[in-house]
Amino acid sequence: IAPPPPTEEAEIGSAPSGTGSSLDLSQRDLLLVTIDALRADHVGHLGYPRPVTPELDALASEGASFEAAYTATPHTSYAVTSLMTGKYMRPLLRQGVGRDSETWAEVLRRYGYRTAAFYPPAIFFIDPELFGSFSDTGLGFEYRKVQFAEARQRAQELRKFLSELRDDRRLFVWVHLFEPHEPYESHAAHPFGARAVDRYDSEVAAADQGLGEVV
């Protein structure tokens, strides 16, 4: 986290005092949204000319955007598991340490968070012998809604979950949106054309709209 810019009272060039230079999330709810197969070069704030990601662009304008961010591997099952454990793929799977790997959901539950995940079963369709333990435990989330669903339906599921909460524990919620994954289908609300790239952009726009509703 970069230190804050100097205030009018601070002398330019003086060392930061330390206040405001760290990020305290101890009393915050945490929302993680992942969008399957979304290309960085089809995102508006990264230079794509078509207006397919207004919601994502709005978030970027208010927060931090990492222009050089890399997945552990370009495959959903592996990438999500790496993301949720903080481990590279070789020690996670090839060296057999996956079964005793603690996930972010499990860590946060230990510290009193309520955890919920909304994702499609396709997350673990590939190499079930490698991902069986993560699939069986739902990556450690206590509440799981595992089904194929459109982005807007995910927002409705999340609203229902939140409306039924009966305590004020902090939340860690993960929502995985699947639209940009092939096969590409055009959405009537987001018409861009009939080519594959047009249908892909329509899927991205539908996921982006769902992102806005989730947020």
Side-chain angles (χ1 to χ4, degrees):
I1 302 300
T7 64
E8 293 181 359
E9 294 78 17
E11 180 182 353
I12 300 299
S14 62
S17 64
T19 59
S21 61
S22 62
L23 187 63
D24 182 6
L25 299 176
S26 59
Q27 296 301 317
R28 302 292 188 97
D29 295 322
L30 305 176
L31 170 64
L32 171 65
V33 179
T34 50
I35 303 178
D36 208 293
L38 173 59
R39 293 175 57 100
D41 60 2
H42 282 246
V43 175
H45 80 275
L46 296 178
Y48 193 55
R50 270 185 174 173
V52 295
T53 57
E55 300 292 342
L56 187 56
D57 300 339
L59 285 177
S61 70
E62 299 173 359
S65 177
F66 295 87
E67 296 179 355
Y70 303 92
T71 183
T73 185
H75 189 286
T76 302
S77 300
Y78 292 86
V80 166
T81 307
S82 181
L83 173 67
M84 291 297 184
T85 59
K87 292 185 176 181
Y88 287 110
M89 298 315 304
R90 183 173 181 82
L92 189 65
L93 298 175
R94 294 293 297 275
Q95 296 178 2
V97 299
R99 292 186 180 276
D100 63 351
S101 296
E102 197 168 37
T103 65
W104 293 115
E106 291 168 330
V107 171
L108 289 168
R109 287 174 68 178
R110 190 166 68 246
Y111 285 93
Y113 275 72
R114 181 187 295 274
T115 61
F118 303 80
Y119 60 92
I123 290 291
F124 297 116
F125 271 177
I126 302 299
D127 295 340
E129 71 280 3
L130 296 177
F131 296 101
S133 60
F134 297 110
S135 178
D136 293 343
T137 62
L139 291 164
F141 286 88
E142 58 185 319
Y143 175 90
R144 302 187 293 274
K145 190 76 170 179
V146 185
Q147 64 178 10
F148 287 103
E150 295 182 351
R152 300 192 70 178
Q153 182 180 341
R154 288 298 188 202
Q156 294 170 359
E157 294 169 353
L158 179 54
R159 284 194 191 97
K160 183 176 185 296
F161 168 76
L162 295 175
S163 69
E164 295 175 352
L165 295 181
R166 296 293 180 264
D167 61 50
D168 60 354
R169 282 189 289 162
R170 297 293 85 190
L171 289 168
F172 172 44
V173 174
W174 171 44
V175 179
H176 186 81
L177 305 178
F178 202 63
E179 271 79 0
H181 192 285
E182 61 181 354
Y184 309 138
E185 298 180 4
S186 182
H187 296 255
H190 308 285
F192 292 106
R195 300 175 302 164
V197 66
D198 300 327
R199 288 181 276 114
Y200 175 79
D201 280 348
S202 185
E203 297 271 42
V204 171
D208 182 76
Q209 182 179 358
L211 168 67
E213 295 189 24
V214 166
V215 172

